[in-house]
Amino acid sequence: MKVLKFGGSSVASSENIHKVINIVKQRAEKSKVTVVVSALGGITNLLLETGELACANNKFYKEKLKDIEERHLKVVRELIPISNQSSVLGTVKKMLNKLENILEGVFLINELSNKTADKIVSFGELFSSYIISEAMKNKDLDVSLKNTQELIFTDENFSNAAVKFKETNKEIRNFFKQNETKIVILPGFIASTKKGETSTLGRGGSDYTAAIITAAANAEILEIWTDVSGMYTANPKFVRQAFPIKNISYQEAMELSHFGAKVIYPPTIQPVLEKEIPIVIKNTFNPEEDGTLITKISSNKNPIKGITHIENMTLITLEGSGMIGIPGFSKRLFDALSQEKINVSLITQASSEHSICIAIDNIDAEKAKLIIDTEFVYEIEQRKVKPLLVEKNNAIIALVGDRMKSHQGISGKMFSTLGKNNVNIRAIAQGASEKNISAVIAHKDVKKALNTLHSTFFENQIKQLNLFVVGVGNVGSKLLDQIKSQQQYLIDNLKIQVRIIAITNSRKMLFNEDGIDLNNWNTPLENAESLNMDLFHTKIIELNYRNSIFVDNTANENIASLYADYLKESVAVVTCNKIACSSNYSNYLNLKKLSREYNAPFLYETNVGAGLPIIDTLKNLIASGDKVIEIQAVLSGSLNFIFNNFNAENSFYEVVKQAGIEGFTEPDPRIDLSGVDVMRKILILARESGLKLELDDIKNNSFLPKTSLDANSVEDFMNTLKKETTHFNKIREKAATNNCRLKYVAQLNNGNAKVSLEEIAPNHPFYNLEGSDNIVLFFTDRYRQQPLIIKGAGAGADVTASGLFADIIRIGNN
């Protein structure tokens, strides 16, 4: 015989019940089948609400009762042919009348005892089992209905009764010896006392009913049918990569169930565990899937079977020097909690005996504090024990697996993984059996922790990076294109998955928690909500994704001022915006400090030389003990492009205009031509070399005439370039006369920095610098005679985007 249990979601509607009937019919072709059913989905809660309303003397309970009636009568009409409906409807209505009489009594006396509540909620299973058995009869199945109250007997602890197994097992065995029908339908959850009063088996009661029947009747298997395809490696609502576990042991299943896996309830397993009868978790809506098989010993070789969690936990800490060496503190603590029926989910105690930490449900926090403070009032007054520390909004996260004890380093791997992702651990518990390693973390970190651990233990080490991209102009759009083209390569070769969670332009911001489709982001962005950087920040923090990266593709000072806020939340920052690193020195140092303190990378390679490895090379020189003596550099690809193309055929104005069209200058070309952009770059290199300099310390010998420097707008500035043609031609002609080329040079020497337009002779490394290329000469202790030279494309959206992309990949590789 097989025992099949169908939960509330499986019998929530007539459509679902049809699926149940087909499954039962298929199983009954090969062996006898006993079917345990829950109430229709949501009915148990509705019955409880109705009872509470009646107890509160609220006449609205009648409306709730009407909803219950309509729900069941609708299912009957949809399942039973019209010719056979009248008798079934009549029976259901008689049962509804009994329920109505009980509720009316509750309403009149304003009292709802556990005993009466059991009678009320029992109707859910009584209704569903009767309706389903009649529906099967109308399908010409060999089926009978048996009231479980005649089989399972309990004590009088109503609402959570304890089973009297001796009498129960005897009655179940006798019944199935005499049963001749192929299919038996049983209501789950309900039982009866010795006096014949209705009792219920508490949370998970229908599962428990099925397990009791399975064990007593020595069935070959217990099938639990639900709305998911088994027990998952993690909650799929939190971890999209979670998958069903094919085989798991009884002990592992109990651990997972205790720590939040809702598929089965721990006491369910006990009766079948003792008989070593297998359990399988199956999906009513996808019956062909394997599901999860639960047996004595799992064939699954992975030492970790699943990652689970319990939400809404409060951490309570009792500590004080007066506890050390004094016996009885733990006993008094747990006795006090036990008397108030407060369940403790986790316990940890320091070996010094200075403190005891426990985790309980949030709803019990205030009550627990009151009773513990009362119990230890003398010790608190004498300052032997500190006032109780109560910390809400926590969660317990746990790794579960039978074989963890035979694999070294699992707990270390767990905690280092959480630490690297800035998930703070408040308390740790690990049993000697090592089937479970638990940690208390902040509730806000649950999703990040689950995904991080799942990636580490189940996903072949694919690291997910979640990007929040500000600015999708020239550079930003190129970055998105590069990411799109390389996404599969990164997964296949570097085990890095890059997701774009949010993007902004100057007006709009678009979020997609599952990742934005890079094949189609322009139109959704235009139709997205208005840009609000405060809200943008709030959403990133609320999402709390692992490996979150804030990518700034702008030259905006306000955006640069936000970096500290992100780093403090352990969000990495990748930027081509030079403003932050060239702001006041204290801010520059603070950003670096926050990056270290919160383990959040702050990368800005593209601040100097776009995609060239200039900053990284300089960092490596300094880290290896080298000392910078002098830096000579052409750091503006824009200005190099301009002066390489400025000749007798092209006016200075025309060349600057063309540079803007080709994306070599900022939207405001004054930033490039004034020398401020180059000043910022040499300042950053000076600071990376270890010098404490401010922007004002850099000497700027501008080549622009006063009229251009005083221009109030981009339009006015461009007009001055036309008017000052003679000024610019003189500069060009003078260089040509001296057989030199014009280059805008940045120099750092003996702690002094300057930027200026220089005439470069043919024998200098800068002379043949073409196009928009950059070049840097590092003169150091190791490179005194022949400088270390870095040369290449230093401007343009493509190379800047590639530099940003390289920084993003660098984070992924760490």
Side-chain angles (χ1 to χ4, degrees), residues 43-53 68 112 117 120-121:
I43 288 295
T44 300
N45 287 338
L46 198 55
L47 286 163
L48 285 170
E49 289 172 23
T50 307
E52 288 165 0
L53 287 169
I68 293 168
L112 181 62
I120 292 170
V121 296

Side-chain angles (χ1 to χ4, degrees), residues 10 119 141 257 310 395 470 508 549 592 643 810:
S10 297
K119 286 183 180 178
L141 296 176
S257 299
I310 309 174
V470 178
K508 300 282 189 174
I549 305 174
K592 293 213 153 199
F643 286 109
R810 186 176 288 120

